[in-house]
């Protein structure tokens, strides 16, 4: 017999977790987020059990309970209270006087809730049905697209693994698939010696912050290593053909260390490593269908890091070409195809169709195809892959279950991310190349350097830049430039040898402030010459090198911004023009150079903001009364105003 449970809870995330938990136990859960709607629903049809939060909007939980006890229809209704605000014996005693079966104080464990519900219901609930054995990718896809929060118990090769999710993002895995735990992963890379590993397990209780305390890692390096461990373990899981699974929704997650993971990219990397024959089967099966970008295309495309060949494929997903024409032999592009299909980013039709459009999603930039326009129409006849796919077992196993599911949204903590960027940028100030990567010169190795370098570039990839703007976006560029410069030096034997000599000497480099500063000056002067010659590509390349060497030089930044802004190839790219404006704004705060004010004035003038442009030109002339670009700008403003006056007079007397 199906039991009907009414849940009155205003915390949406907690309500979802409780609903999923009880639904898997065979209960029918009806959720209401305020006291008034809950009371109306109970009056219309009393449930078998009421799960009641006390601090409800509209009607307080105690008031709702009092009204229920005054009615003959609901006087005996079983009630379990879930409260985070009202703690202690006096509230529990009051609840018991009103006939409450159990009183759970938040946070509570899932098992405690299940026991309370079982005690309140006259018949025990059914045990949760285990999900059938399927490829790991299918379980991951289900959790991601359904925005699942809780734990997934996976069984593979007689070992049980507990994978924890928050809003569809994997956060924690115990034990791992390849390495038993984080300590084993570090030891395999010789980042932890035997004594440290033993102490980490036996005395520190596996607490990750212990590694910072003893100086194995700084805080940023530890976070990068944790992310690398989780990502590598989950990529290993993509090779598992079948895993049993049990879904465990938990109201309160308790984690040793939360970690941010790019799940769409995880799918892409997983299919690159473990494609198998399933990809070939699907390509052959749908080779004759027309292919277009689908419903979720704009939701996830900016999270992927694609190579040049893959980027050239995306603009062709317009519904006018067949899959076989796009993929050719399918070998190199098959992982991308499987990734897009798994995340419901593609749609197929038997006849030519149209690509999806962003709808109400305010897309600013598409990182994998910056210069493409995606303002296309949608035809109602376009079918999703889920509508075309058969439900046979071969299809389910091939690409991890591509049946359509409702996709939830996930909001990242942009404030936390911005703070993280600022802290890392601050931590890199004044650091030498070894300190940038947290490597001691005596323990240097190329493999360790590569590991740390790619960890940083993955951490601050396009998906991070998409979430940031303004100063934080520029700080990410500064971080990447600093890391790239350090990596370029340490990965080259000759450059590293010279750098090591400079680190050990009192007088650095060429008697100036350093070889890097000298190289920056050389590149900057070359770039400025290219600007005068209007060779914008060469100017941008040289000035970018100068900025990489000296990222806080306002003069270099301003010139680079001007080269980007004036380059005709970026004329249609709003993203690059925005980047140029941001660079100029930073340049004038770093260094009051007349050139920077003049460049900024021209950007404002061409945007039609004459008064603001005039102010910037005036600032440039105060620093250099004969600055040619600023003087030219003021003349242009005057000429435009004269033309406007003439036009006004013509309209007045025509």
């Amino acid at each position: 017999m199906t039991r009907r449970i009414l849940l009155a809870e205003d915390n949406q995330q907690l309500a979802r977790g409780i609903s999923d938990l009880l639904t898997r136990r065979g209960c029918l859960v009806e959720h209401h987020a305020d006291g008034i709607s809950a009371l109306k629903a109970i009056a219309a049809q009393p449930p078998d059990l009421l799960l009641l939060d006390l601090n409800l909007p509209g009607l307080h939980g105690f008031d709702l309970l009092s009204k229920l006890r005054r009615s003959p229809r609901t006087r005996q209704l079983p009630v379990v209270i879930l409260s985070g605000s009202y703690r202690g014996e006096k509230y529990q005693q009051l609840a018991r006087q009103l006939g409450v079966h159990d009183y759970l104080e938040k946070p509570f464990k899932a098992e405690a809730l299940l026991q309370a519900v079982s005690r309140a219901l006259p018949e025990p609930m059914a045990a949760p049905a285990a999900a059938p054995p399927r490829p790991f990718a299918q379980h991951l896809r289900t959790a991601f697209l359904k925005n699942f929060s809780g734990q997934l118990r996976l069984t593979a090769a007689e070992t049980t693994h507990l994978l924890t999710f928050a809003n569809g993002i994997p956060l924690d895995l115990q034990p791992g698939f390849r390495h038993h735990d984080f300590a084993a992963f570090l030891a395999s890379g010789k980042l932890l010696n035997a004594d440290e590993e033993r102490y980490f397990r036996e005395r520190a209780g596996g607490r990750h912050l212990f590694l910072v305390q003893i100086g194995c890692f700084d805080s940023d390096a530890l976070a990068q290593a944790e992310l690398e461990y989780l990502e590598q373990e989950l990529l290993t899981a993509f090779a598992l053909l079948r895993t049993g699974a049990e879904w465990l929704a938990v109201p309160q997650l308790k984690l040793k260390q939360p970690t941010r993971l790019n799940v769409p990219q995880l799918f892409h990397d997983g299919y690159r490593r473990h494609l198998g024959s399933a990809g070939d089967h699907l390509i052959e099966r749908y080779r004759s269908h027309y292919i277009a970008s689908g419903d979720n295309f704009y939701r996830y495309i900016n999270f992927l890091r694609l190579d040049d060949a893959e980027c050239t494929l995306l603009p062709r997903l317009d519904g006018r070409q067949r899959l076989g024409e796009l993929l050719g032999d399918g070998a190199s592009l098959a992982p991308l195809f499987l990734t897009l299909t798994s995340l419901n980013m593609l749609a197929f039709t038997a006849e030519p169709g149209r690509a999806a459009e962003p709808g109400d999603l305010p897309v600013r930039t598409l990182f994998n195809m910056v210069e493409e326009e995606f303002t296309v129409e949608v035809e109602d006849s376009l079918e999703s892959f889920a509508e075309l796919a058969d439900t046979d077992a071969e299809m389910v196993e091939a690409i991890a279950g591509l049946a359509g599911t409702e996709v939830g949204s996930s909001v990242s903590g942009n404030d936390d991310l911005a703070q993280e960027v600022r802290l890392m940028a601050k931590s890199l100030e004044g650091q030498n190349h070894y300190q940038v990567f947290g490597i001691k010169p005596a323990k240097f190795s190329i493999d360790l350097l590569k590991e740390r370098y790619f960890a940083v570039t993955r951490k601050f990839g396009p998906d991070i830049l998409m979430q940031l703007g303004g100063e934080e976006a520029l700080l990410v560029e500064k971080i990447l430039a600093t890391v790239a410069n350090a990596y370029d030096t340490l990965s080259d034997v000759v450059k590293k040898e010279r750098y090591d000599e400079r680190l050990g000497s009192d007088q650095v480099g060429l008697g100036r402030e350093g070889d890097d500063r000298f190289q920056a000056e050389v590149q900057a002067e070359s770039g400025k010459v290219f600007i005068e010659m209007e060779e914008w590509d060469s100017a941008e390349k040289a000035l970018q090198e100068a900025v990489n060497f000296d990222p806080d030089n306002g003069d270099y930044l301003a010139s680079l911004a001007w080269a980007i802004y004036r380059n005709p190839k970026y004329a249609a790219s709003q993203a690059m023009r925005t980047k140029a404006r941001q660079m100029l704004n930073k340049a004038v705060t770093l260094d009051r150079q007349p050139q920077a004010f003049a460049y900024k004035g021209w950007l404002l003038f061409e945007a039609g903001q004459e008064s603001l442009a005039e102010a910037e030109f005036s600032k440039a002339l105060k620093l250099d009364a004969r600055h040619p670009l600023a003087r030219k700008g003021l003349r242009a403003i005057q000429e435009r105003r004269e033309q406007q006056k003439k036009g006004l007079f013509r309209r007045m007397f025509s």
Side-chain angles (χ1 to χ4, degrees):
M1 178 180 178
T2 301
R3 295 296 178 177
R4 178 170 166 265
I5 298 177
L6 192 143
L7 172 61
E9 170 62 63
D10 63 335
N11 184 318
Q12 296 292 336
Q13 183 174 351
L14 177 58
R16 282 197 301 270
I18 293 174
S19 297
D20 289 344
L21 179 66
L22 296 177
T23 299
R24 290 199 309 277
R25 297 279 179 157
C27 299
L28 180 63
V29 181
E30 179 181 341
H31 171 233
H32 293 273
D34 66 273
I36 294 176
S37 64
L39 181 61
K40 290 180 179 178
I42 295 170
Q45 184 182 1
D48 296 306
L49 172 66
L50 170 63
L51 298 180
L52 177 63
D53 178 29
L54 293 179
N55 197 14
L56 286 173
L59 181 65
H60 193 277
F62 271 127
D63 293 333
L64 187 154
L65 188 55
S66 298
K67 292 179 184 296
L68 293 178
R69 293 314 186 216
R70 289 197 294 268
S71 170
R73 294 185 67 212
T74 56
R75 186 172 296 152
Q76 301 301 322
L77 175 64
V79 177
V80 173
I81 283 182
L82 320 172
S83 178
S85 303
Y86 300 93
R87 299 171 175 270
E89 179 60 29
K90 68 175 183 178
Y91 296 111
Q92 295 181 21
Q93 185 176 358
L94 177 60
R96 282 194 292 270
Q97 293 173 3
L98 292 172
V100 170
H101 286 70
D102 271 286
Y103 194 107
L104 300 180
E105 295 182 352
K106 301 175 184 177
F108 48 81
K109 294 184 177 179
E111 188 60 33
L113 175 65
L114 292 174
Q115 291 175 1
V117 171
S118 294
R119 285 191 293 267
L121 290 174
E123 294 181 4
M125 293 181 295
R134 290 175 178 171
F136 168 75
Q138 182 169 350
H139 301 308
L140 178 63
R141 176 184 182 273
T142 299
F144 180 64
L145 293 183
K146 289 193 173 182
N147 215 30
F148 173 70
S149 291
Q151 293 177 318
L152 174 61
R153 185 178 290 145
L154 295 164
T155 303
E158 300 183 352
T159 301
T160 299
H161 308 265
L162 200 61
L163 181 57
T164 304
F165 292 86
N167 296 322
I169 306 299
L171 298 182
D172 188 65
L173 174 67
Q174 298 179 24
F177 292 99
R178 182 180 178 187
H179 302 95
H180 182 267
D181 57 15
F182 185 50
F185 168 75
L186 296 176
S188 70
K190 304 191 183 304
L191 300 177
L192 214 61
N193 62 40
D195 291 336
E196 292 166 341
E197 182 181 3
R198 189 179 307 109
Y199 195 102
F200 177 74
R201 295 181 192 279
E202 299 174 1
R203 302 284 297 279
R207 291 182 299 107
H208 294 188
L209 290 180
F210 162 75
L211 300 172
V212 178
Q213 294 171 349
I214 66 173
C216 289
F217 297 93
D218 61 28
S219 181
D220 291 335
L222 175 63
Q224 294 163 14
E226 290 166 336
L227 183 62
E228 181 75 14
Y229 165 66
L230 181 58
E231 183 177 347
Q232 291 303 319
E233 292 301 313
L234 296 183
L235 287 174
T236 300
F238 267 77
L240 300 176
L241 296 179
R242 286 180 176 273
T243 58
E246 181 182 353
W247 299 93
L248 308 170
V250 292
Q252 184 73 18
L253 300 178
K254 293 184 178 180
L255 305 175
K256 288 182 178 179
Q257 186 71 35
T259 307
R260 184 189 304 275
L261 194 67
N262 183 344
V263 177
Q265 186 61 37
L266 183 68
F267 273 99
H268 194 205
D269 293 340
Y271 287 134
R272 276 176 170 166
R273 287 192 185 186
H274 308 291
L275 182 62
S277 60
D280 296 335
H281 169 76
L282 281 178
I283 290 171
E284 288 304 316
R285 184 167 187 154
Y286 291 95
R287 184 173 289 275
S288 61
H289 286 79
Y290 291 89
I291 184 172
S293 55
D295 293 340
N296 282 350
F297 184 83
Y298 291 96
R299 186 181 296 275
Y300 301 128
I301 188 60
N302 274 343
F303 289 91
L304 296 173
R305 299 186 295 270
L306 306 182
D307 59 31
D308 291 343
E310 292 169 328
C311 288
T312 59
L313 172 70
L314 299 186
R316 301 171 65 192
L317 300 176
D318 54 9
R320 296 195 293 268
Q321 297 184 67
R322 290 183 172 88
L323 175 63
E325 298 169 354
L326 291 176
L327 297 187
D329 60 13
S332 61
L333 295 173
L336 175 62
F337 163 68
L338 286 178
T339 300
L340 298 180
T341 310
S342 292
L343 300 180
N344 294 343
M345 297 169 67
L346 294 180
F348 297 80
T349 56
E351 301 295 332
R354 296 281 186 181
E357 59 182 9
D360 59 355
L361 190 68
V363 176
R364 178 197 295 184
T365 306
L366 296 173
F367 294 116
N368 291 300
M369 43 185 182
V370 174
E371 301 192 27
E372 295 294 331
E373 294 293 336
F374 272 72
T375 54
V376 291
E377 300 177 357
V378 180
E379 282 190 359
D380 294 336
S381 61
L382 192 65
E383 301 172 286
S384 69
F385 185 90
E387 293 168 335
L388 283 171
D390 294 336
T391 57
D392 59 282
E394 185 179 22
M395 174 61 66
V396 169
E397 293 182 11
I399 53 171
L402 301 177
T405 56
E406 182 178 354
V407 180
S409 61
S410 176
V411 180
S412 12
N414 285 348
D415 291 340
D416 293 340
L417 178 59
Q419 177 69 6
E420 182 182 0
V421 169
R422 289 192 292 270
L423 288 175
M424 184 163 187
K426 185 69 175 177
S427 70
L428 293 179
E429 293 179 3
Q431 300 292 300
N432 65 42
H433 292 344
Y434 291 100
Q435 292 169 337
V436 164
F437 295 109
I439 300 175
K440 296 179 180 179
K443 296 185 177 181
F444 175 85
S445 72
I446 289 294
D447 289 340
L448 180 57
L449 175 66
K450 289 181 178 179
E451 178 183 331
R452 300 284 173 84
Y453 171 70
F454 289 116
V456 175
T457 55
R458 280 194 295 268
K459 184 181 183 69
F460 295 104
D463 53 317
I464 297 299
L465 279 172
M466 182 185 71
Q467 302 174 48
L468 298 171
E471 180 184 0
E472 285 76 24
L474 292 175
L475 286 177
V476 170
E477 293 180 3
K478 178 181 177 181
I479 290 169
L480 294 177
T482 301
V483 170
N485 185 28
Y487 179 81
D488 180 64
T489 300
L490 297 181
S491 60
D492 185 290
V493 176
V494 177
K495 291 181 180 179
K496 180 178 179 298
E497 184 177 355
R498 292 180 60 202
Y499 185 75
D500 289 341
E501 292 173 356
R502 297 211 321 266
L503 280 181
S505 64
D506 294 331
Q507 186 174 2
V508 181
L510 302 174
R512 305 166 67 86
E513 292 184 20
D515 287 347
D516 289 352
R517 183 64 58 85
F518 175 72
Q519 292 297 331
E521 292 176 2
V522 171
Q523 294 291 346
E525 289 304 316
S526 299
K528 291 176 182 178
V529 171
F530 286 129
I531 285 178
E532 293 178 4
M533 299 168 62
E534 297 188 358
E535 295 184 9
W536 304 111
D537 286 336
S538 299
E540 180 185 352
K541 182 178 180 181
L543 289 162
Q544 185 63 66
E545 288 290 328
V547 170
N548 289 345
F549 284 121
D550 191 358
D552 289 329
N553 189 299
D555 183 31
Y556 302 167
L557 271 176
S559 298
L560 175 58
W562 185 247
I564 292 173
Y565 186 81
R566 299 300 296 173
N567 195 331
K569 75 178 183 181
Y570 298 134
S573 174
Q574 188 60 38
M576 296 303 291
R577 288 181 165 256
T578 299
K579 178 180 179 180
R581 285 193 291 271
Q582 291 174 343
M583 278 187 183
L584 272 178
N585 289 333
K586 181 180 179 182
V588 297
T589 61
L590 290 172
D591 196 356
R592 293 180 61 83
Q593 291 278 346
Q595 196 83 337
F597 288 118
Y599 290 152
K600 187 175 180 181
W602 274 100
L603 265 65
L604 292 168
F605 175 72
E606 293 184 4
Q609 298 173 293
E610 295 174 10
S611 298
L612 295 177
E614 186 175 20
E616 297 300 322
F617 291 140
S618 298
K619 292 176 186 176
L621 292 173
K622 284 182 180 179
L623 297 171
D624 180 1
R626 302 184 61 82
H627 195 281
L629 197 60
R631 291 164 66 90
K632 181 180 178 182
L634 287 179
R635 286 197 301 271
I637 290 175
Q638 186 63 31
E639 290 172 0
R640 179 179 288 181
R641 287 173 177 169
E642 292 294 333
Q643 291 295 328
Q644 291 171 346
K645 288 180 182 178
K646 292 178 181 178
L648 176 62
F649 287 136
R650 280 196 295 268
R651 289 194 297 273
M652 290 175 61
F653 296 105
S654 61

